Amino acid sequence: MRSTSLLRSIVTPVAILRLVLGWGTFFLLLGLGRFLAPPVPGGLLVLALSVIVAVILLCSFGVVHEAEQLARRLGDPYGSLVLTLSIVLIEVILISAVMLGPGDHSTIARDSVMAVSMIIMNLVIGLSLLVGGTRHGAMAPNRTGASAYLAMLVVLTSLAFALPALIGTGGSYTTAQEIPLVLLTVVLYAYFLYRQMGAQSGDFIEVDPTVIQRLGIGGTEGQAGGQRTPIGQLLATHRTEVLLRLGLLVITVLPIVLLSHDMASLLDDGLGRLGAPVALSGILIAMIVFLPESITSVRAALNGEIQRVSNLCHGALVSTVGVTIPAVLVIGVLTGQSVVLGESPANLLLLGLTLLMTVAGFGAKRVTAVHGAAHLALFVVYGLVVFA
């Protein structure tokens, strides 16, 4: 009886409606594939894109709801990690499928991950800090956790985008270089997750306001007050609820990724007619795929949960680079494809400025709306570089 009640509280009519619309739209587009092959008539192109975006938005709110429920039940960083890994792993599968398909896709990983980096680190974080700082004033992140994310990002992004341009050939690592770099990246990322979910989990929760007021710090030692229930005990106690919500989250987020993939050809067709840069399509796709995480981050900022913003955004990028780059390099080795990772000087400069901005903001005692405005300005500059 209790299990039935729990099932009804999770798999609600609204959740079922989202699933029907999401998966129904995907299969409908699959069946109408021949009618949507470029060049698509202008009216039909606009209609198809409008329907896809509307359905993606509807599904995104469902993903956000389940992620927030899991976060409340498990607490951070576990709750944020569930949403982050769900989206990142599906994105990796999507990129891998494109690489294994026909055509030359040697730069898809580089372009996708760079777009994700600029969107998450500048657009999403910038908007979150702007709205959160405007509502709550200065907010105190857990600086130890933010520093751990930043350390990972400095190493992983350097290995992904800067080093291949210096020691590789044509922006690609040689096979002899790829194997040790894949192992290094996987081991480093796995160790980070092990520490984040274990001994250092306290570094990724909101700081204790009483500690902040008493010591005047911004989260280097402050942690949420009260005794935390061990994650193992939480999972044992609420195993059924967690599994149901996790399953519902995954099958709700899948249509978002699949529809965004279907939307790529339509966007390429439409943007091509407008003479827009090819990279703009990848940026729009990345924005759509990470929409659930973006909505969750902004809502967390509005609630004053600045560390959750860091967990969602910085954690998403660490996972994106730590999982995507090794995956595409392995595919490149197995299939004999060249994987171009070396970035342009302009994008490397923007990435470096973004990391410096992260140090200036999340390394300080307080992060404010001004930091958010600066991040948004960098995203605008990124847009200018794309159109240059």
Side-chain angles (χ1 to χ4, degrees):
M1 187 72 177
R2 184 178 177 182
S3 298
T4 303
S5 176
L6 177 62
L7 180 63
R8 289 176 179 175
S9 68
I10 296 174
V11 187
T12 63
V14 175
I16 295 174
L17 177 62
R18 290 192 182 105
L19 291 176
V20 170
L21 288 175
W23 286 101
T25 303
F26 168 68
F27 286 115
L28 177 63
L29 292 176
L30 202 61
L32 297 175
R34 65 181 184 276
F35 298 107
L36 296 177
V40 182
L44 180 58
L45 178 64
V46 172
L47 176 62
L49 286 174
S50 299
V51 170
I52 291 174
V53 171
V55 172
I56 285 176
L57 284 172
L58 184 64
C59 291
S60 294
F61 284 109
V63 173
V64 169
H65 173 74
E66 298 308 323
E68 289 181 339
Q69 294 299 318
L70 283 169
R72 290 193 190 98
R73 176 61 70 195
L74 300 178
D76 269 335
Y78 313 109
S80 300
L81 195 59
V82 168
L83 175 60
T84 295
L85 289 180
S86 299
I87 295 176
V88 168
L89 289 176
I90 294 171
E91 175 71 3
V92 169
I93 293 172
L94 179 59
I95 293 175
S96 301
V98 173
M99 286 190 65
L100 292 171
D104 180 18
H105 304 287
S106 60
T107 64
I108 184 174
R110 181 195 68 186
D111 296 341
S112 298
V113 176
M114 178 55 69
V116 168
S117 301
M118 293 296 105
I119 290 168
I120 291 179
M121 294 284 281
N122 287 322
L123 178 60
V124 180
I125 285 184
L127 185 58
S128 298
L129 296 184
L130 187 64
V131 299
T134 300
R135 170 175 284 191
H136 299 284
M139 298 177 291
N142 192 323
R143 291 189 289 178
T144 306
S147 175
Y149 282 130
L150 186 60
M152 290 293 295
L153 288 175
V154 168
V155 174
L156 292 178
T157 55
S158 297
L159 294 179
F161 301 125
L163 194 60
L166 298 175
I167 69 171
T169 303
S172 301
Y173 284 120
T174 64
T175 303
Q177 295 167 343
E178 287 176 339
I179 295 174
L181 283 168
V182 166
L183 293 175
L184 177 62
T185 301
V186 169
V187 169
L188 179 61
Y189 178 62
Y191 182 70
F192 172 78
L193 288 183
Y194 169 73
R195 295 292 297 181
Q196 184 185 28
M197 292 186 292
Q200 289 184 235
S201 62
D203 295 337
F204 301 91
I205 61 177
E206 300 293 334
V207 295
D208 188 344
T210 60
V211 175
I212 297 173
Q213 293 174 359
R214 185 173 69 252
L215 301 180
I217 62 173
T220 52
E221 323 75 356
Q223 296 180 0
Q227 185 68 32
R228 301 185 69 209
T229 304
I231 185 62
Q233 183 178 335
L234 282 173
L235 290 174
T237 305
H238 305 285
R239 179 175 60 253
T240 302
E241 178 185 356
V242 170
L243 289 176
L244 283 173
R245 291 198 181 280
L246 181 58
L248 184 57
L249 184 150
V250 171
I251 62 176
T252 306
V253 81
L254 267 172
I256 296 175
V257 180
L258 294 172
L259 286 173
S260 66
H261 181 53
D262 291 338
M263 191 172 63
S265 60
L266 297 175
L267 278 175
D268 287 338
D269 187 16
L271 294 174
R273 298 179 193 180
L274 298 174
V278 177
L280 185 58
S281 175
I283 294 173
L284 293 176
I285 296 298
M287 292 176 70
I288 293 294
V289 170
F290 283 89
L291 184 60
E293 201 146 19
S294 303
I295 296 173
T296 308
S297 298
V298 173
R299 291 178 66 169
L302 286 172
N303 292 330
E305 299 171 336
I306 188 59
Q307 186 55 40
R308 187 152 191 243
V309 172
S310 178
N311 291 341
L312 287 164
C313 295
H314 297 144
L317 189 53
V318 168
S319 299
T320 299
V321 183
V323 175
T324 304
I325 301 302
V328 297
L329 288 177
V330 168
I331 291 174
V333 171
L334 295 177
T335 62
Q337 294 185 62
S338 175
V339 179
V340 178
L341 294 176
E343 263 294 358
S344 67
N347 279 339
L348 287 176
L349 173 62
L350 285 175
L351 184 60
L353 290 174
T354 299
L355 293 174
L356 285 175
M357 274 298 307
T358 304
V359 173
F362 286 84
K365 291 182 179 180
R366 301 286 194 276
V367 65
T368 68
V370 173
H371 293 102
H375 275 290
L376 289 174
L378 280 180
F379 184 76
V380 173
V381 174
Y382 173 63
L384 294 176
V385 170
V386 170
F387 282 93

